[in-house]
């Protein structure tokens, strides 16, 4: 069984709604062979990262950057996992009231340094969460779960 690690900071109702949609997609009953582990950014550790086969990262955009919690996660794990996670798949979702560009760019710089492989475009959400946004997050979760090493997918 492969492991998909979901590291997130979801303090607001909107970011939590995105997390729920991503998890629903990652746990789609048609996707088998992938265990989805959900760990808040402030609790995620080096063993969590090394024990995973794929990653989903979620954050609000705070002052044009990722949340401090997700930044803390990357700060405390980066050098210990550098070189050990190359080519593993990842996906990203970011919610901002106005702009998500800086948050997305900063995370993409970090995961590029780690050598992770994007298997989907980031889901960038400004403003309220609607049906289309929830569907995009569901698709993100399912895509990353499948690319993490699903044994079956019968859509």
């Amino acid at each position: 069984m492969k492991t998909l690690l979901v590291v997130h900071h979801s303090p607001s109702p909107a970011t939590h709604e995105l997390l729920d949609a991503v998890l629903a997609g990652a746990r789609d009953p048609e996707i088998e062979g992938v265990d989805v582990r959900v760990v808040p950014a402030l609790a995620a550790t080096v063993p969590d990262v090394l024990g995973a086969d794929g990653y989903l990262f979620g954050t609000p955009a705070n002052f044009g950057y990722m949340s401090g919690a997700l930044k803390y996660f990357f700060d405390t794990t980066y050098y210990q996992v550098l070189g050990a996670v190359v080519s593993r798949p990842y996906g990203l979702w970011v919610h901002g009231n106005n702009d998500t560009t800086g948050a997305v760019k900063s995370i993409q710089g970090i995961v590029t340094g780690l050598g992770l492989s994007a298997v989907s475009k980031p889901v960038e959400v400004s403003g309220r969460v609607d049906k289309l946004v929830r569907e995009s997050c569901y698709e993100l979760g399912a895509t990353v779960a499948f690319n993490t090493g699903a044994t079956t997918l019968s859509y």
Side-chain angles (χ1 to χ4, degrees), residues 3-6 22 25-26 31 34 53-57 88-93 117-121 137-150:
T3 299
L4 172 59
L5 178 64
V6 180
V22 166
I31 300 171
V34 177
D53 303 289
Y55 311 93
L56 278 161
F57 304 112
R88 293 182 189 176
Y90 86 93
L92 169 65
W93 77 95
S117 178
V119 294
S120 181
K121 288 177 46 178
C137 285
Y138 186 99
E139 183 178 321
L140 173 68
T143 298
V144 177
F146 177 74
N147 283 279
T148 294

Side-chain angles (χ1 to χ4, degrees), residues 23-121:
L23 292 177
R27 293 175 172 152
D28 185 299
E30 300 296 323
I31 300 171
E32 297 179 1
V34 177
D35 179 40
V36 178
R37 291 198 59 240
V38 183
V39 183
L42 292 174
T45 64
V46 169
D48 293 324
V49 177
L50 293 175
D53 303 289
Y55 311 93
L56 278 161
F57 304 112
T59 184
N62 292 337
F63 309 108
Y65 199 68
M66 74 180 94
S67 71
L70 192 63
K71 174 76 165 63
Y72 175 83
F73 160 74
F74 285 124
D75 284 346
T76 59
T77 62
Y78 186 89
Y79 285 109
Q80 292 86 347
V81 305
L82 189 62
V85 296
V86 174
S87 298
R88 293 182 189 176
Y90 86 93
L92 169 65
W93 77 95
V94 178
H95 178 270
N97 289 329
N98 300 313
D99 185 23
T100 59
T101 306
V104 170
K105 184 176 179 182
S106 63
I107 294 166
Q108 287 176 327
I110 292 168
V111 297
T112 296
L114 290 172
L116 298 181
S117 178
V119 294
S120 181
K121 288 177 46 178

